[in-house]
Amino acid sequence: MPLSDRARRGLVLGLPALLAAALYARTLGHGFPFDDDLILRQNAFIRSPANAAALVTPRYFESGEMSWRPVPTLTHIVEAALVGMPDVPPAGWERALAAQPVPWAAGLREPPAWIFHATSVVLHAACAALVAALALALAGPAAALLAGLLFAAHPVCAEAVCVASFREDLLALAGSLGALLLLRPGPTLTPLRLAAGWAGAAVAILSKESALLLPVLLLAAEWLLAPSGSRRDRRTILRVHGPVLAVAALYAATRFFLLVSPQEAVHSHLSPTLPYRLLLLPALLVAHARLLLWPATLHADYWPVPVLSASDARFLGGTVLGLAVLAAAAWAWRRRAPLAGVGAALLATSLAPILGISPLPNPLAERYLYAPAAGAALLLAAGFSAVGVRRPTARPAALGIAAVLVVLGALRTGARVPDWESGETIREATVRSGLRSLRALAWQIEARRLARDWDGWIEIARRQLALFEGLPFEAAPGRFHAVVGLGQAWRGKAYDLQAAGRPASAELDEAARWLAESHRLAPDHWIPVDELGLVAKQRGDAAEARRRLEEAVRLAWPSDAMVRGHLAELLETAGDRDGAEREYRAALRTDPRSSVLHRLLGMLLVSRFPAGDPRGGAAAAEAASHWAEAAAANPWDHESRYNLGVFRLLQGDFGGAVVPLGQAFALSPDRADIARAAADARERTGDLHGAREALERWARLEPENPEPRRRLGAPPRG
């Protein structure tokens, strides 16, 4: 029994959507890989629904984003509100729990990542269905089904789908395809159709700046899809597409002039200069073509070697490829082949923003190819369809090849998706691949940093620096990251030497040399300035340290919590307690869950007023609240628990002192002062067995001190 048109349409749209959902269903069990850790897991901004009103203000950049893309951030706020995102555990909490399994940390859990991944899976399935729907509107059901399946299974889509904070690419494509379907020539333009098309365009444009070329795509469709005798007049075209142009103009003005993150300007300076970007453009075209046509080898990071002259083979080869693509597009334009023409237009308008003309620190990434993959799928489907129409005898072979491509894509995607399960899995996959890139080596550095293996860090940083040997900084500004990393490693080594009471002047000199070089390369970047301030502090030059750290605070906004903490510690050491308190409070406004900042501010508050000062009681009470915040944020913060317990002891709240002091005692059993305070609290609450345990520990730690032995009833020593 033949299928009805409605059933056939449902099958053509549903199968790509089902394949997309099936390939990425396992991501619902994934964590927070790549940028998800910062943008979703640690982000206090999205945890407050009230911040939806801040999406059109400079406070938007407190979300961790460097580009104004309000629609994706709004979806994250809604998702966080739906699941009630808990406070994020401290970094490395799972390793800490394994090493020291304290019972009060047993209830720790990661924020739920599944809802963010579920939304991305739904969006990818919707995009696959929209690709099929567009092809169905322009060609037959076979071409539509093939286009949808090719896109759903394309391995290059994995990064954008698996990393939920890269959702802007999915939203931009979904909105663009929806607008193209609804506003294209042919169907009757009802008010509801117009409103829905404009809404789709607004979603696309407000999701990512690459969608600013959507009006070009819509105008190209006017030429490609309307027969010459039935084209819309200019007034109708303006009525249909004018609102899209207005949204694009409004977004462009806001995105590039009104709401610009200072950090984005800094990062744009770390991209190649325009002449080198133009030389790299053909090579990027070849790299993108390879990923679209043969995505067998995929990485989380790509580092295209700069092209230094027009005689480079990559420049010449890429130029030939570009001319061939333009010739094919011109052919499709003249022939007005609807499916091929729209596919070529979508491919061109989505590739243009990522070919290196605009300054991008990382000009090549798989997520950039999410929308181009849809254009490529439409083009391939058009090609297979044309073969079947013109050479019916070749139709079975064409269908067989198409099926093989879909199966190969699905298999490669299925193997790629597990790599994106977490930050650790994608780092391991990248390191395992042997990729030699700046980020791949940086991930190796991270393990050395956590182990405080400064010599290992220095060795890998020198390998990073070797990547840029013989390349001018204007062509390869990534050299900055290798240089500043060397400075940080030398400073860390000097810090540990000084902590051990050993001289470190040579290490500090090396740190200063590399950090000064990185500051010369990127004068507006806050990291070298902050590090130079810390070097000056380690050298004992308080005036220079303060000057540098104050400059770093100015440069680091809105991500200035750590830098302000450095400045506050310096001011406190120098005796400027008012300034230190001001900086601690400003840092906590940016990072309200920092246990270190809460602990340090609490200690500053209780030190500000001498005994007997009436203001001391209020300051001590506020300090206790900060120590409680610090203890809640970090289950292994023994110092804040000790401070909080002692405060409650002094206030006569013996029952309230028992828990924090007992936890501090369990975390730091080798601290005599903690053992003594724990013994006091337990004695006052009648826990004589617990008090005896603490007193015995105190006596072992201070064998010459007679007090714990006296309280135990044992004879004093000697």
Side-chain angles (χ1 to χ4, degrees), residues 182-487:
L182 293 167
L183 302 180
R184 74 184 194 279
T188 303
L189 290 174
T190 64
L192 180 60
R193 190 181 189 93
L194 281 171
W198 294 336
V203 166
I205 292 168
L206 294 174
S207 293
K208 194 172 184 181
E209 53 280 351
S210 58
L212 284 171
L213 291 181
L214 175 59
V216 176
L217 176 62
L218 295 175
L219 293 175
E222 290 288 337
W223 171 269
L224 290 164
L225 303 183
S228 57
S230 60
R231 290 183 191 154
R232 295 167 175 165
D233 57 55
R234 292 181 180 177
R235 179 174 297 179
T236 302
I237 290 175
L238 183 61
R239 180 172 68 89
V240 173
H241 302 304
V244 180
L245 286 167
V247 171
L250 180 62
Y251 176 77
T254 306
R255 165 72 177 80
F256 297 110
F257 299 101
L258 300 179
L259 286 178
V260 181
S261 168
Q263 297 307 310
E264 184 179 29
V266 170
H267 282 265
S268 67
H269 294 156
L270 293 177
S271 64
T273 57
L274 181 59
Y276 286 108
R277 294 202 302 273
L278 294 175
L279 285 171
L280 186 62
L281 190 154
L284 284 177
L285 183 61
V286 172
H288 287 131
R290 197 279 297 173
L291 285 170
L292 287 172
L293 298 176
W294 189 247
T297 303
L298 299 172
H299 296 296
D301 185 43
Y302 294 88
W303 189 69
V305 177
V307 175
L308 303 183
S309 76
S311 61
D312 191 302
R314 290 172 300 146
F315 179 85
L316 297 174
T319 302
V320 170
L321 176 62
L323 292 174
V325 170
L326 288 175
W331 175 85
W333 184 273
R334 292 191 61 184
R335 293 290 299 268
R336 292 204 185 97
L339 186 57
V342 169
L346 176 58
L347 185 62
T349 54
S350 55
L351 272 179
I354 62 171
L355 283 178
I357 299 174
S358 57
L360 293 171
N362 183 17
L364 182 60
E366 291 167 22
R367 63 184 178 276
Y368 298 164
L369 294 175
Y370 187 77
L378 292 172
L379 276 171
L380 282 172
F384 282 113
S385 178
V387 169
V389 170
R390 295 181 183 179
R391 299 184 62 183
T393 56
R395 184 179 299 171
L399 289 175
I401 294 172
V404 168
L405 289 178
V406 172
V407 171
L408 287 176
L411 291 174
R412 184 67 185 94
T413 298
R416 181 62 171 162
V417 169
D419 290 343
W420 290 103
E421 182 173 347
S422 66
E424 289 186 2
T425 57
I426 193 58
R427 285 194 292 270
E428 290 169 359
T430 305
V431 172
R432 192 168 57 246
S433 71
L435 178 68
R436 290 182 71 253
S437 74
L438 191 70
R439 178 175 284 168
L441 291 171
W443 284 338
Q444 295 182 40
I445 283 174
E446 181 65 12
R448 307 300 195 280
R449 185 188 67 82
L450 292 173
R452 305 187 77 81
D453 177 8
W454 308 114
D455 290 329
W457 180 349
I458 290 167
E459 187 271 328
I460 298 174
R462 292 192 186 281
R463 284 160 51 195
Q464 284 183 314
L465 200 57
L467 295 173
F468 303 94
E469 188 173 348
L471 298 174
F473 180 73
E474 294 78 9
R479 181 172 183 270
F480 162 82
H481 298 287
V483 173
V484 76
L486 271 170

Side-chain angles (χ1 to χ4, degrees), residues 34-98:
F34 229 40
D35 289 10
D36 283 1
D37 184 58
L38 177 65
I39 303 300
L40 302 177
R41 179 181 177 273
Q42 298 185 44
N43 195 349
F45 184 89
I46 67 169
R47 284 171 164 75
S48 173
N51 283 333
L55 294 178
V56 292
T57 72
R59 283 197 56 233
Y60 171 83
F61 298 110
E62 295 176 12
S63 67
E65 295 282 3
M66 286 194 297
S67 304
W68 187 61
R69 298 167 179 170
V71 170
T73 306
L74 179 61
T75 66
H76 298 325
I77 291 174
V78 171
E79 289 161 328
L82 288 175
V83 297
M85 291 281 281
D87 290 326
V88 62
W93 70 272
E94 290 172 312
R95 288 190 298 271
L97 186 59

Side-chain angles (χ1 to χ4, degrees), residues 585-672:
R585 293 188 186 280
L588 279 169
R589 284 194 293 273
T590 303
D591 187 5
R593 288 286 297 169
S594 170
S595 62
V596 174
L597 290 172
H598 277 295
R599 183 179 76 246
L600 293 176
L601 178 56
M603 294 171 68
L604 173 67
L605 289 172
V606 296
S607 69
R608 294 207 61 185
F609 304 105
D613 191 310
R615 295 171 294 175
E622 186 186 352
S625 70
H626 284 292
W627 291 327
E629 288 281 351
N634 185 353
W636 292 273
D637 183 352
H638 63 273
E639 197 66 48
S640 294
R641 286 171 166 75
Y642 169 67
N643 292 339
L644 178 61
V646 170
F647 169 78
R648 289 175 176 172
L649 270 179
L650 295 174
Q651 295 292 310
D653 181 8
F654 306 123
V658 166
V659 172
L661 287 173
Q663 292 176 353
F665 182 54
L667 289 167
S668 293
D670 296 330
R671 284 267 302 268

Side-chain angles (χ1 to χ4, degrees), residues 499-571:
R502 297 165 60 188
S505 57
E507 287 75 13
L508 288 173
D509 288 343
E510 277 293 299
R513 179 169 74 88
W514 289 107
L515 292 169
E517 171 66 8
S518 63
H519 183 44
R520 184 188 67 79
L521 295 174
D524 294 329
H525 204 294
W526 64 269
I527 290 180
V529 182
D530 178 54
E531 289 287 335
L532 284 167
L534 295 176
V535 167
K537 179 183 176 183
Q538 288 175 236
R539 283 174 162 169
D541 188 347
E544 173 67 6
R546 179 168 184 168
R547 184 182 72 81
R548 292 285 193 182
L549 292 175
E550 286 177 344
E551 182 187 0
V553 165
R554 177 181 61 81
L555 294 173
W557 187 89
S559 305
D560 56 0
M562 182 179 72
V563 187
R564 286 188 180 276
H566 293 161
L567 178 58
E569 289 184 79
L570 177 73
L571 295 175

